[in-house]
Amino acid sequence: MRNGLSERKKVVEAVGAELESAGLRARIIARDLDSHAEVVLSPEGAVPLASLVKVPIALAVLNRIKAGELAADEQIRVEPAATDTASPTGAARFRHPARIAVEDLLTLAVCFSDNTAADALLDIVPARDVQRDLEDMGLRGMDVRHRLDALESTPLESLDRSEAHLAYDLAQTRPPHGDGHRIWQLDVSRANSGTARSLMDLLAELWRPERVDPGVAARLRELMSGNVVRHRIAPDLMSDSAQWSSKTGTLLHLRHEIGVVDHADGQSIAVVVLSESSNPAAVQPAAEAALGAAARALHDLLR
């Protein structure tokens, strides 16, 4: 890291201004996992996790496979998704019941962000057990409360496509006091939620394990390296000499991504990006590009 404090401050301020001009409010942390040097932008406050919650779910399942409480090849019956708005890939698109091994459900949930697969895992390791694992490992600041099918029953799913903007407008409306929200999936006191720092601590534990079993951590890193969702910040952080392993989360106006860049020279930089967009649209390539550029700018301050 060859940047002074004043230069880093200027870069962070410029990044914040660029995000604001793109209609984004973001919490970002970049951390060198060995030196523990950090660069941060507005890191405080809990947000709904959306699909980021699949990482602690996978961790809890892998813990039980390691302990011999679950078999990786145990076949689980998975029913077709109940709605047409389910995940665009994986078991969520199946039209008929199927039997899928536990470890393959992990692949679908983490690599393909399949909500149906994640809920099948929660059927065998309930949310309360996922939460207990986090607390037992000292990973505070995350709350795992509900299944993933809840993410497919927001006001958006009841509106015609031409009226979708109404759901995004409602999502952006902040309560005047407290943490409540008219869309309960966005209420951090009711939804799966977490802070940027809690997610950074989770990444640090997976890449430099102290309390997580090293084999469990290695398997979850492998799953995250296979993430097929590569349109958000991956284009700015991956290269022939840098592997980006990550998990994304998207819900209404929320656009998140957490992951680690493993550089060929041995440096590992973890990045947490949690964001809210003020633009009432589902497809926002400019917002995705702005988040990628912001992540890259903070990452580069640590190189």
Side-chain angles (χ1 to χ4, degrees), residues 239-290:
S239 70
D240 288 348
S241 60
Q243 175 174 289
W244 172 242
S245 306
S246 71
K247 182 72 196 75
T248 55
T250 307
L251 177 65
L252 293 170
H253 69 317
L254 303 178
R255 282 164 174 75
H256 306 328
E257 187 158 0
I258 64 171
V260 175
V261 189
D262 289 307
H263 291 277
D265 62 7
Q267 186 180 26
S268 295
I269 298 176
V271 181
V272 171
V273 175
L274 308 177
S275 76
E276 306 166 56
S277 172
S278 62
N279 300 317
V283 179
Q284 296 186 27
E288 309 283 6

Side-chain angles (χ1 to χ4, degrees), residues 230-239 244 257 288 292 296:
R230 296 272 161 173
H231 66 277
R232 186 154 296 156
I233 65 178
D236 289 271
L237 293 176
M238 60 187 293
S239 70
W244 172 242
E257 187 158 0
E288 309 283 6
R296 180 72 197 204

Side-chain angles (χ1 to χ4, degrees), residues 12 51 75 87 105 111 176 178 185 205 226:
V12 172
S51 285
Q75 301 289 304
S87 306
L105 287 171
C111 300
Q185 294 92 335
E205 188 61 38

